[in-house]
Structure formats: C-alpha cells, structure tokens
Amino acid sequence: MALVGRERDEERLAVLAASGGCLQVVGEPGVGKSALLSTLDGHLVVGVEAEQDLPCAGLHQILHPFLDLSTLPGVRRSALEVVFGLSDGAAPPVHLVGLAALDLLSGAVVLVDDAHWLDQASQDVLGFVARRLTDGVLVTTSRTPLFAGVPTLSLEPLAPDDAQALLSSVAPGLDAERRARVLAQAAGNPLALTELPFGGNSLEEAFAARVSKLPPDERKALLLQALSGSGDFRHPLMRSAVVQAASPAERQEAHRQLAATEQPDRRAWHLASAVTGTDEKVACLLEQTADRALRRGGAAAAINALEKSAEIGDGCQQARRLMRAAELAADAGRKDDVERILLEVRGLDLTPRERALATWLPSAFDDGVGEGAAGPGELVGLAEAVVRDGDVELGMRIFWSVAMRCFWVEPGTAVRERIISVAAKLRIDPCDPHMVAMAAYVRPVEQGDSVIAAFRAGTPDDPATCRLLGSAALQVGAFEDSVRFSVAAQRGLRAQGQFGLLARALAVEAWSRTRLGDIATAEPAAAEAAELAEETRQPYMRGLAAAVQAEIAALKGNYEQAAQLAAEAERIGLAAGARPVLATVQLARSLAALGEGRYADAFAAIRRIHDPADPAYQLALKRYVLPELVEAAARSGNSDDAGKIIEELDTATSSPALAAGLRYARALLARDDEAEALFTAALEARSSPWDRARTHLAFGAWLRRQRKATQARPHLKAAAEAFDAFGTKDWAERAREELRASGESRNGNGELTEHELTIARMAADGLTNKEIGERLHLSHRTVSTHLHRIFPKLGVTARAELKEALMTYEDTVT
C-alpha cells in the first residue's frame, strides 16, 4: 500500500527526532495521529478525559522519568514541588513552572498523544515548553492546534486512491455496494476504513455495537476503566463508546464505586457525577477541591470545580460560588469564562461586593480597554462605594484599573480630577509604588514633580515594584529613570516566570530607549516585548511594541518595514481606541515622512497626537514628540500652528523629556535674533545624546543659512558622527549634506580653482552648458565635466542649489 503523503509525514518526524525541536500533529479522530506518533521512540504520555480537572496531572506524567528536582535552581524546584503537591507555598506562575520543565526536558524525546485531554495547567506549561525547547524533541497530537507559535503538521483524510487501497487490504471480500457505502461513510478516515467494513455507520456506532454484545460484568469493568482513565483501549473513541453505551444509572453507580477508592479530588468529582438533583455535602467537597487546585496553580480546574459546586449545591450558595469562579477566571486572564459566568449570575441575589465585582470584572482584561468594560467614570464611583463599605483591597484594584484606563483611553479632565480626589481618601501611603504610578497615569503633568521625586528613593529590590516605577517614569517623561527601573525589573521577572509583566517592562524600556536614541538596545527589547505580549495574550501591549518597532524602523531608514509595522499596530490600536498605540504609530509615520522629505505628511501625522478629537491624542505622550512636531512644521510652512501648540502646553512639571523638547522647539521656531542664544542654551542644558545630536544638526543648519559656515561645521560634524553611531543612516546623511553645503567637501578639499569658480558663477546665473562654453571658448562637454567636479566641492547635487552654495563658499574663503 503506497500512502505517499503519510510516508512524507513519517520522514518529517524522523528528521525532527534527529535534529530536535517541537511539532504538533493535528487532525480528526482516527486520521492516524497515534499511528504516526508510534513511528518515534521516546517517552509516551497519553491524555485522558478523566484527568482534565486534576491540575498538572498531565505534566507529572510528562516529567516523571526526568524528575530529578535536585538539578533545578531553588525557585524552579520550589515551583514544581508546589504544583505536584510536594510542599506548600504560593501558586507559582505558569511560566516559572515552564522554565523548570524546560530544564528537565533538555535532551529528552517526549511524545504526547491526545494532548487536548490534558488538564489546562499542563497544556499551558506544555505550550510554553514547545515554543522554546531546542535541545530535545517534543511531539504532540491533538484534534486542533493547541499551541500558538509551534510548527503544525495537519493530517488530512486519505486521497481516494489510498483510501481504496487501504480498504482492499483490510476487507478484500466486500461487494461493490457495501464497498461504495464504506468509502462514502469513511471519507478517507483510516480508522473508519478499517472498522466500518465489519458493522456500523460511524466509528462511535461500530464501537458501541461491540460493547453492547459483551457480558454485563465485562461491560461494567470496561465502564469503570473508562471513567477512571485506566485500561488499555484500542482508541479514545472506544473509551467514549463504552461510556455512551451505559445507561445514566449505570454511569452514576460506576462513579459511586470509583469514589470509594480514589484520592480526595477524584473522589469529589466522581461523587459530583453521581449526583441527581442537589447535594450540598458534595458541593462542599468540590469547593475544597477548588482550594487545593488553586494552591497548585490550577486556576482552570478550580473554576470548573466551583461552577459544578454551584450547580449541585444549595441555591443560597450559588451566587457566592459563581462570583468566586468569575474572580478567579479574571485573575487567570480567562475572559471567555468570566463573560459566561457573569451571564449565569444574572437575576441572582448578589451582595454589594458581588455586584461591584460583576461590574468591574469585564474591565480586568486588556487594561480595561476591551469591549464591554465599564467606563472610567463608572468605575470611579464603584471604587468610591467599595472603599466606603470598608473593602479597601477591592477598591484599590478597581482604582488601578481606572488609572490604567487613563493611559489607554482619554476619560476627560473631570474624571481625572475625581480619580485623584477619591484616591486621596484611601488609607494608603502616597509613596506606595501603586499610588505613584496611579498619579503618573492620571495626572502626568500636575503630579509630575512628585512622581519624579519618588524616584530618588533608589531602586527597589522587588521586580514588580521596579516595573511600576518604570512605567510611571515613562508617563512623566523621565526616560532615563524609566529605562533604569524597567531593566532592574526584568531579571527578577524572568526568574519568577512573570512573563506577562516582563512583556510590559520590555515595552516600556523599548519606548523610552528609542526616545533617547538608543535604538540598538531598544530594538531587541521591542521584539521580545512583542513576542511575549502575544504569548501572554496582551493585545494592546503587542500593539504598543509593534508601534515602537515601526518607530525604530523609521529612524533606521527602513521605511517599507516601518509602514508595515505601523499598519499592524494601528489595526490593534483601533480595535478599542488604545491611544498610546495610535500615538506611537503617528510618531513612527512622522519620522518616516521626515526621512523621506515628505514634510507636510510628517506634520499631519504628528499633529494628530495633539488633537483632542483624534483617536491618536494622548495626554502624556503628546509632550514628548515636540522635536518631530516643530521640525515638520518648520519645513512644511506650519510654524505658526506649531508655535500655538507649544505655547498652550502646560509646563508645570520638571519632566526631562518635556524640558528638552521645549528647548529644541523654541530654538527652532525662534526669530533669527534670538535663535543662536536659544540653541546654545539647549546644548548647554543636560539632555540625552539623541537630543544633543538633533540640536547640533538644527543649530548647524541654521548657522549655515546665516552664512556662518565655519561655526556651523563643528555642530554638523558632531551630529553626523552621533547619528552614525545611533545607526540612523538618513539622519547622518542629512547632517553630511548640510556639512557639504557649508563648504566641507566629500574628500575634505572644498577649494575651487578660479576657472571652476567662474564656471560655477555662470551656471548659478542660469546659463546653459552651451552658453558657458561659447563665452569661455570651451565645448559644452568640457563645461559638463567641470560642473561634475564643482558640485561635490560645493556639496550640491543640482544647478538650482549653486547660488546659495556659492554665497556660503565665498563667505568662507574671504
């Protein structure tokens, strides 16, 4: 039998086994996933439905042969000890467990069949490992892809010729009518082709028919095995067929029998499956199961246990159990579960705290900018009421959501003022990092000085606190502090497996470094932030990272790439009006347009960030893009418009970025009798290397236009050298063009001979090559040759530039 496609699949698996890596094999039941997996040698684990609600049960099976905990660093060893119930402790984040699993599986070959039946906690860890394992082999099978970012091999039904060949090999004596019917029913499914010739119109029906023919004792034994997850069945569909063939009463009795022999969590689930109607005692056992699951990091299992407990327990406990499940789902980032559970509690009698939770929980995702989230104004009132009722912890959580909303969306001045007013009533130290960050998000200008003052206390040891302070520093334009705190946070966040927070710290670092001109370091930080945000399901952080990548590409002169990244980020940002994403997109587009000489487009893009009616308007970030605004305005005839924006800015803050931007802007927009002093003051003030390079370029260009070429050249040289070091080639070229225009030639010798000077003056006056040749008794070709030598010496590329260049040149040599 020549099943060519399957032979190629086997070859691919063989190559994978030899070279290392991960692959998920997907396809419908019976298509041949298990058969394909059997061609490899390795540690085989089979997922079973009966263990879906036992957190990390699958992971324990996967790691068991390699489980030498003594080889792991302390924090990773502790994480596995907690999730496997070997010790007590706080439930570790999934990525920390994943790092420990990655260590143990180095060099191993692991095969996981029916991975879709693994418990959710094990699936989460396995996905983390699958995206990172390089020194080892991991192959999983499932009905649909489980892990984003992992190579996938999709098994399709057999082609007609192969299906016919397989059927002939297993049932050669079928008559034509029966053969045609089997081929149609099987639709290329290999298992169906081998089973349906012997009875049944479907695999489930065929397996169930065989089970029904067994003696009662054998059927009962098989049912017990199927429900317990034990026994060696030919195929998972056979296990399902055994359960479906039993009557409800038979299944309930089997669950009761199993409950007497199982450990506490399995016992609770078996008893729950045997309940008809309600049973508060069993519901309490399930709630205890939920508690144990949480201690082992099994949020999904805990949620399922609480929902089942609410279903079978007393009605007076239903709302409490469901709201607890909803709160756990929100903490675990399970948005769909929250929405489903909140639908279940509609109409139930809720306590004030539960009503507050029901209002706030939809806002706990995507920093509250997703669809269905409560507005900032509503949340402020909710937080105020919760705090008044004495629940300061929940009130603080709601306040934090409101503060984050002030970064991602624009609630308006009144709401911002109300947030600060209510926050002042909280019995929390204003120097607490959460309060510092809240102040930075809500009132970045008015609270800027107090926020910046908080940075002087030093760098905390706690990585989560450092991350908060890094984010706060970005809001108030203290970019060096933002980088310092964000980098300090990352080592600890990596060690703890806090990859969701790590994505945020990296994105903040990348944004701040790019504004400082350190794009060589910002680039990998932005790339990793984008990857981790995708993995940890943070769409708007993913959009922000992509927007920073677009900004970096624009600065490096990769304009096509910048446009693609900006479009990608904009799609994400527009989904819910995520203003920092959209603002950074416009910044990237403005930089690209400046680099390409499209100054009107550059001004139009950056102007949007300052327009309160535009989705790209962002209260904090608009203050840190002034250099782009004024440069685009000056080159596109919009200086007056830019000047009005500058004067309207509230400067009641010591923000380093805002101060540097204002110095640059006012120098660039100044009258000629004021500009030199303002440029000099800007260079004397403390600023970032990028700000200094930009000021050198603008000052040098202004000096050249004032026919002060000798004074201009040091500034232009400094700018060119700095931009080369930054890797911003087009900015460096602009500085060199200005340098050439100042009389500095490409080869270092800008002097013209008297003959060349005469030709240059004639060409500057508008004479053609032929007319110049007639006056000087030269051929027009000789005149052309002279001009090709003259242009580089004067730093020009066209005849239209000669007049101004000659004026500068003659001032220099006189």
mmCIF file of all heavy atoms in Angstrom, residues 50 76 86 101 149 165 168 263 352 446 463 484 504 507 511 520 528 591 626 643 672 701 714 716 744-745:
data_model
loop_
_atom_site.group_PDB
_atom_site.id
_atom_site.type_symbol
_atom_site.label_atom_id
_atom_site.label_comp_id
_atom_site.label_asym_id
_atom_site.label_seq_id
_atom_site.Cartn_x
_atom_site.Cartn_y
_atom_site.Cartn_z
ATOM 1 N N ALA A 50 -10.588 11.751 31.852
ATOM 2 C CA ALA A 50 -10.893 11.641 33.279
ATOM 3 C C ALA A 50 -9.972 12.490 34.143
ATOM 4 O O ALA A 50 -10.274 12.750 35.311
ATOM 5 C CB ALA A 50 -10.801 10.180 33.718
ATOM 6 N N ARG A 76 12.905 27.383 40.840
ATOM 7 C CA ARG A 76 12.226 26.482 39.902
ATOM 8 C C ARG A 76 11.888 25.148 40.566
ATOM 9 O O ARG A 76 10.829 24.566 40.306
ATOM 10 C CB ARG A 76 13.094 26.266 38.660
ATOM 11 C CG ARG A 76 13.355 27.561 37.903
ATOM 12 C CD ARG A 76 14.153 27.360 36.633
ATOM 13 N NE ARG A 76 14.512 28.650 36.052
ATOM 14 C CZ ARG A 76 15.185 28.801 34.920
ATOM 15 N NH1 ARG A 76 15.586 27.731 34.234
ATOM 16 N NH2 ARG A 76 15.470 30.011 34.460
ATOM 17 N N LEU A 86 4.074 18.511 46.598
ATOM 18 C CA LEU A 86 5.135 18.022 47.467
ATOM 19 C C LEU A 86 5.451 18.987 48.594
ATOM 20 O O LEU A 86 6.123 18.624 49.568
ATOM 21 C CB LEU A 86 6.406 17.768 46.641
ATOM 22 C CG LEU A 86 6.253 16.770 45.475
ATOM 23 C CD1 LEU A 86 7.550 16.691 44.682
ATOM 24 C CD2 LEU A 86 5.865 15.402 46.014
ATOM 25 N N ALA A 101 10.267 22.968 33.761
ATOM 26 C CA ALA A 101 10.046 21.841 32.852
ATOM 27 C C ALA A 101 11.043 21.868 31.696
ATOM 28 O O ALA A 101 11.549 20.831 31.259
ATOM 29 C CB ALA A 101 8.613 21.886 32.315
ATOM 30 N N GLY A 149 2.336 29.559 17.757
ATOM 31 C CA GLY A 149 3.767 29.716 17.534
ATOM 32 C C GLY A 149 4.555 28.438 17.463
ATOM 33 O O GLY A 149 5.792 28.469 17.463
ATOM 34 N N ALA A 165 -7.103 1.585 -1.595
ATOM 35 C CA ALA A 165 -6.054 0.584 -1.349
ATOM 36 C C ALA A 165 -6.114 0.068 0.077
ATOM 37 O O ALA A 165 -5.981 -1.140 0.335
ATOM 38 C CB ALA A 165 -4.687 1.202 -1.637
ATOM 39 N N SER A 168 -9.156 -2.265 0.534
ATOM 40 C CA SER A 168 -8.911 -3.562 -0.108
ATOM 41 C C SER A 168 -8.022 -4.441 0.752
ATOM 42 O O SER A 168 -8.175 -5.667 0.793
ATOM 43 C CB SER A 168 -8.265 -3.351 -1.477
ATOM 44 O OG SER A 168 -9.146 -2.670 -2.346
ATOM 45 N N GLN A 263 -8.418 9.156 45.449
ATOM 46 C CA GLN A 263 -7.922 10.217 46.328
ATOM 47 C C GLN A 263 -8.949 11.355 46.358
ATOM 48 O O GLN A 263 -9.878 11.376 45.549
ATOM 49 C CB GLN A 263 -6.526 10.676 45.860
ATOM 50 C CG GLN A 263 -6.410 11.053 44.406
ATOM 51 C CD GLN A 263 -6.680 12.532 44.168
ATOM 52 O OE1 GLN A 263 -6.847 13.303 45.090
ATOM 53 N NE2 GLN A 263 -6.740 12.919 42.910
ATOM 54 N N PRO A 352 -23.486 43.490 47.955
ATOM 55 C CA PRO A 352 -22.888 44.694 47.350
ATOM 56 C C PRO A 352 -21.509 44.429 46.755
ATOM 57 O O PRO A 352 -21.190 44.936 45.681
ATOM 58 C CB PRO A 352 -22.824 45.669 48.540
ATOM 59 C CG PRO A 352 -23.958 45.260 49.414
ATOM 60 C CD PRO A 352 -24.008 43.755 49.316
ATOM 61 N N GLU A 446 0.489 67.544 36.255
ATOM 62 C CA GLU A 446 0.305 68.137 37.581
ATOM 63 C C GLU A 446 1.033 67.363 38.675
ATOM 64 O O GLU A 446 1.510 67.944 39.646
ATOM 65 C CB GLU A 446 -1.188 68.216 37.913
ATOM 66 C CG GLU A 446 -1.986 69.111 36.977
ATOM 67 C CD GLU A 446 -2.448 68.369 35.727
ATOM 68 O OE1 GLU A 446 -1.909 67.269 35.454
ATOM 69 O OE2 GLU A 446 -3.332 68.887 35.017
ATOM 70 N N PRO A 463 10.999 43.192 41.815
ATOM 71 C CA PRO A 463 10.891 43.480 40.377
ATOM 72 C C PRO A 463 9.545 44.059 39.973
ATOM 73 O O PRO A 463 9.476 44.897 39.064
ATOM 74 C CB PRO A 463 11.142 42.115 39.720
ATOM 75 C CG PRO A 463 10.883 41.106 40.781
ATOM 76 C CD PRO A 463 11.250 41.762 42.071
ATOM 77 N N ARG A 484 16.064 52.676 33.644
ATOM 78 C CA ARG A 484 16.724 52.128 34.839
ATOM 79 C C ARG A 484 15.802 51.171 35.596
ATOM 80 O O ARG A 484 16.183 50.042 35.918
ATOM 81 C CB ARG A 484 17.165 53.279 35.755
ATOM 82 C CG ARG A 484 17.694 52.839 37.109
ATOM 83 C CD ARG A 484 18.354 54.014 37.821
ATOM 84 N NE ARG A 484 17.444 55.092 38.117
ATOM 85 C CZ ARG A 484 16.752 55.220 39.246
ATOM 86 N NH1 ARG A 484 16.871 54.290 40.196
ATOM 87 N NH2 ARG A 484 15.968 56.259 39.460
ATOM 88 N N ARG A 504 5.561 43.869 29.610
ATOM 89 C CA ARG A 504 5.302 45.286 29.860
ATOM 90 C C ARG A 504 6.595 46.048 30.159
ATOM 91 O O ARG A 504 6.807 47.153 29.660
ATOM 92 C CB ARG A 504 4.315 45.437 31.014
ATOM 93 C CG ARG A 504 2.915 44.963 30.653
ATOM 94 C CD ARG A 504 1.989 44.901 31.862
ATOM 95 N NE ARG A 504 0.662 44.516 31.413
ATOM 96 C CZ ARG A 504 -0.328 45.382 31.182
ATOM 97 N NH1 ARG A 504 -0.145 46.663 31.369
ATOM 98 N NH2 ARG A 504 -1.507 44.960 30.754
ATOM 99 N N ALA A 507 8.464 46.523 26.907
ATOM 100 C CA ALA A 507 7.839 47.522 26.034
ATOM 101 C C ALA A 507 8.139 48.935 26.521
ATOM 102 O O ALA A 507 8.436 49.837 25.720
ATOM 103 C CB ALA A 507 6.331 47.283 25.958
ATOM 104 N N TRP A 511 10.266 51.719 24.441
ATOM 105 C CA TRP A 511 9.705 53.045 24.130
ATOM 106 C C TRP A 511 10.661 54.140 24.605
ATOM 107 O O TRP A 511 10.964 55.088 23.864
ATOM 108 C CB TRP A 511 8.352 53.201 24.814
ATOM 109 C CG TRP A 511 7.399 54.137 24.109
ATOM 110 C CD1 TRP A 511 6.370 53.800 23.284
ATOM 111 C CD2 TRP A 511 7.392 55.576 24.187
ATOM 112 N NE1 TRP A 511 5.726 54.930 22.833
ATOM 113 C CE2 TRP A 511 6.324 56.034 23.375
ATOM 114 C CE3 TRP A 511 8.170 56.514 24.848
ATOM 115 C CZ2 TRP A 511 6.025 57.390 23.205
ATOM 116 C CZ3 TRP A 511 7.883 57.875 24.680
ATOM 117 C CH2 TRP A 511 6.825 58.298 23.876
ATOM 118 N N ALA A 520 19.772 50.714 19.193
ATOM 119 C CA ALA A 520 20.437 49.408 19.108
ATOM 120 C C ALA A 520 19.985 48.499 20.253
ATOM 121 O O ALA A 520 19.819 47.287 20.068
ATOM 122 C CB ALA A 520 21.954 49.587 19.145
ATOM 123 N N GLU A 528 11.266 41.334 21.698
ATOM 124 C CA GLU A 528 10.886 40.365 22.735
ATOM 125 C C GLU A 528 9.568 40.758 23.388
ATOM 126 O O GLU A 528 8.741 39.894 23.716
ATOM 127 C CB GLU A 528 11.983 40.258 23.796
ATOM 128 C CG GLU A 528 11.697 39.139 24.802
ATOM 129 C CD GLU A 528 12.772 38.968 25.849
ATOM 130 O OE1 GLU A 528 13.723 39.782 25.905
ATOM 131 O OE2 GLU A 528 12.654 38.016 26.658
ATOM 132 N N LEU A 591 8.185 60.258 11.569
ATOM 133 C CA LEU A 591 9.633 60.075 11.397
ATOM 134 C C LEU A 591 9.966 59.551 10.006
ATOM 135 O O LEU A 591 10.949 59.972 9.389
ATOM 136 C CB LEU A 591 10.151 59.109 12.464
ATOM 137 C CG LEU A 591 10.264 59.690 13.879
ATOM 138 C CD1 LEU A 591 10.461 58.582 14.895
ATOM 139 C CD2 LEU A 591 11.414 60.689 13.952
ATOM 140 N N LEU A 626 7.672 66.765 20.673
ATOM 141 C CA LEU A 626 7.776 68.141 20.192
ATOM 142 C C LEU A 626 8.853 68.331 19.122
ATOM 143 O O LEU A 626 8.654 69.103 18.177
ATOM 144 C CB LEU A 626 8.038 69.089 21.367
ATOM 145 C CG LEU A 626 6.962 69.111 22.457
ATOM 146 C CD1 LEU A 626 7.276 70.193 23.478
ATOM 147 C CD2 LEU A 626 5.598 69.343 21.844
ATOM 148 N N GLY A 643 3.785 76.693 16.812
ATOM 149 C CA GLY A 643 4.058 77.633 17.891
ATOM 150 C C GLY A 643 2.899 77.755 18.861
ATOM 151 O O GLY A 643 3.090 77.835 20.085
ATOM 152 N N ASP A 672 15.503 85.086 14.026
ATOM 153 C CA ASP A 672 16.942 84.978 13.813
ATOM 154 C C ASP A 672 17.754 85.683 14.900
ATOM 155 O O ASP A 672 18.853 85.241 15.245
ATOM 156 C CB ASP A 672 17.313 85.567 12.447
ATOM 157 C CG ASP A 672 16.940 84.628 11.307
ATOM 158 O OD1 ASP A 672 16.672 83.440 11.592
ATOM 159 O OD2 ASP A 672 16.902 85.081 10.150
ATOM 160 N N ALA A 701 22.608 73.740 10.795
ATOM 161 C CA ALA A 701 21.868 74.127 9.590
ATOM 162 C C ALA A 701 21.466 75.600 9.650
ATOM 163 O O ALA A 701 21.526 76.319 8.643
ATOM 164 C CB ALA A 701 20.628 73.249 9.443
ATOM 165 N N PRO A 714 31.461 72.431 12.995
ATOM 166 C CA PRO A 714 31.633 71.552 14.174
ATOM 167 C C PRO A 714 30.322 70.931 14.636
ATOM 168 O O PRO A 714 30.289 69.766 15.046
ATOM 169 C CB PRO A 714 32.216 72.504 15.229
ATOM 170 C CG PRO A 714 32.861 73.596 14.456
ATOM 171 C CD PRO A 714 32.007 73.786 13.242
ATOM 172 N N LEU A 716 27.670 70.318 12.754
ATOM 173 C CA LEU A 716 27.209 69.350 11.758
ATOM 174 C C LEU A 716 28.050 68.082 11.801
ATOM 175 O O LEU A 716 27.528 66.968 11.625
ATOM 176 C CB LEU A 716 27.245 69.983 10.371
ATOM 177 C CG LEU A 716 26.300 71.181 10.197
ATOM 178 C CD1 LEU A 716 26.530 71.852 8.839
ATOM 179 C CD2 LEU A 716 24.849 70.738 10.329
ATOM 180 N N GLU A 744 32.248 72.071 3.233
ATOM 181 C CA GLU A 744 33.056 70.892 3.555
ATOM 182 C C GLU A 744 32.815 69.852 2.474
ATOM 183 O O GLU A 744 31.710 69.342 2.326
ATOM 184 C CB GLU A 744 32.649 70.327 4.913
ATOM 185 C CG GLU A 744 33.484 69.140 5.344
ATOM 186 C CD GLU A 744 34.703 69.569 6.137
ATOM 187 O OE1 GLU A 744 34.893 70.785 6.356
ATOM 188 O OE2 GLU A 744 35.461 68.690 6.535
ATOM 189 N N SER A 745 33.828 69.532 1.641
ATOM 190 C CA SER A 745 33.622 68.605 0.535
ATOM 191 C C SER A 745 33.679 67.173 1.019
ATOM 192 O O SER A 745 34.115 66.881 2.118
ATOM 193 C CB SER A 745 34.683 68.817 -0.550
ATOM 194 O OG SER A 745 35.927 68.316 -0.109
#
